[in-house]
Amino acid sequence: MKLRSLLAYLCANRDEVVSSSQLIDALWSGAPPQTASTALHVYISKLRKHLQDIGLDAMSVLATRPPGYQLNLSGVTLDVNELEILLAKARELRESGRKEEASEIFSQAIALWRGRALEDLRDIPAFDSIGRQLDERRVLAQEQRFELELELGNHTAIIGELFSLVDNRSTSENLHGLLMIALYRSGRTAEALATYSCLRRNLVDDFGIEPTPRLQRLQYAILAHDPSLDGRDAHALNAV
C-alpha cells in the first residue's frame, strides 16, 4: 500500500519537485516513525525498479531533485490529464453553441471515473483531500452537462441520473434545482415541489439553514407556473 500511495502522490504532483518531508508526511499521515526517511528511500528504489521493469528509464522518470523527487511524465497521459483536455474542449464547444457535441464530450470526461477518485486511499488524509478535489470536478462536469441537456430539451432523459445523484448529495442545491426544473418541464410539478421540500429538510436538519433565495425563487416560480421555466434557458436556476 505504501508503494501505491507513493506513486499516487507523485502522480497527483506530477512534474513538480516534491520534498521528502512532504512525501513522508503524506505516507504516514503526519505521524512518521523514526525510520521514515530510510523507508522512503527503500520505496523510491522499489518504485524505480518497477518503472524499469515496464521499460521506462527509471532515473529520468523518477528523478532525484533536492529537496526530494520529481516524477516526469512527458509523453505519458494520465486520466487526470485527459480529463482536463476533455473539459476544456467541452466548454469551448458550449461557448461556440455546439451544445450536443459539448454534452457528449462532458459525458466522455465523466466516464473516466470508476467510483470515487483514489477510493482505496481515502483513509489517508492527504489522499482524501486530493480525492475530494477530483470528485468536485466530476460534479461540476455533471452539472454543466445537465444544464446543456436542459437547453437541448432533454429534461425527461436526465431525471433518473439526477435522482441518483441527489441521493448521494442530499444538500446540493445545484443538483436539486436542476432536478426540480427537469421534473417541472416533464409535467411532474408535485415531484418538483417534493424535491424542494426534501432539500429544505436536509439543510435544516444537517446545518440549521434554509435553502438560498435562488432555490426559494425557483420553488415560488414552480408554484406560480412561471412561463420563464418553460424555456431552454442555459442558466435556468438563475433565471427566476
Side-chain angles (χ1 to χ4, degrees):
M1 181 62 78
K2 281 287 192 292
L3 195 60
R4 172 167 162 71
S5 299
L6 173 62
L7 178 58
Y9 196 83
L10 288 168
C11 283
N13 296 278
R14 60 202 175 281
D15 302 323
E16 298 179 9
V17 175
V18 183
S19 70
S20 296
S21 60
Q22 281 180 273
L23 290 170
I24 289 171
D25 187 62
L27 295 180
W28 282 277
S29 302
Q34 292 184 347
T35 57
S37 181
T38 300
L40 176 61
H41 289 307
V42 172
Y43 290 130
I44 290 289
S45 296
K46 288 182 176 180
L47 181 53
R48 281 174 170 158
K49 184 178 186 308
H50 174 71
L51 294 171
Q52 184 176 333
D53 289 344
I54 61 175
L56 297 176
D57 183 347
M59 297 303 292
S60 296
V61 174
L62 180 50
T64 300
R65 295 281 186 270
Y69 304 91
Q70 181 181 36
L71 189 66
N72 303 303
L73 293 174
S74 56
V76 177
T77 301
L78 299 177
D79 282 353
V80 70
N81 299 123
E82 187 175 354
L83 171 68
E84 292 297 337
I85 293 170
L86 289 172
L87 291 180
K89 183 177 180 181
R91 290 170 186 140
E92 181 180 340
L93 288 168
R94 182 179 187 179
E95 290 173 3
S96 65
R98 296 160 66 180
K99 298 176 182 179
E100 291 186 0
E101 294 174 74
S103 181
E104 176 58 32
I105 298 299
F106 273 125
S107 295
Q108 291 178 28
I110 294 164
L112 291 173
W113 268 268
R114 294 174 291 277
R116 293 197 310 166
L118 300 174
E119 177 71 44
D120 59 336
L121 299 175
R122 292 293 278 267
D123 59 333
I124 303 172
F127 294 101
D128 186 54
S129 175
I130 295 170
R132 285 177 182 272
Q133 293 175 43
L134 290 170
D135 286 343
E136 285 301 319
R137 285 153 81 181
R138 172 178 57 175
V139 172
L140 179 59
Q142 289 170 323
E143 290 177 357
Q144 291 174 317
R145 175 179 163 265
F146 289 134
E147 287 179 0
L148 281 167
E149 291 300 310
L150 288 174
E151 292 176 42
L152 292 165
N154 297 330
H155 36 269
T156 301
I158 63 175
I159 288 175
E161 292 179 75
L162 280 165
F163 266 125
S164 176
L165 288 173
V166 298
D167 282 345
N168 294 319
R169 298 180 69 88
S170 61
T171 57
S172 170
E173 294 200 358
N174 282 346
L175 289 174
H176 280 79
L178 291 166
L179 176 57
M180 289 167 66
I181 293 169
L183 287 167
Y184 179 79
R185 291 181 181 175
S186 300
R188 298 162 66 174
T189 303
E191 289 178 79
L193 293 170
T195 297
Y196 175 84
S197 296
C198 183
L199 169 67
R200 181 182 180 278
R201 183 169 57 252
N202 293 335
L203 287 171
V204 170
D205 289 350
D206 292 353
F207 305 109
I209 61 174
E210 294 285 339
T212 59
R214 181 184 58 154
L215 263 292
Q216 294 179 33
R217 288 195 299 271
L218 177 57
Q219 181 208 26
Y220 297 148
I222 291 173
L223 285 167
H225 296 280
D226 192 316
S228 67
L229 293 178
D230 297 322
R232 296 184 181 180
D233 197 299
H235 303 285
L237 286 178
N238 300 317
V240 294

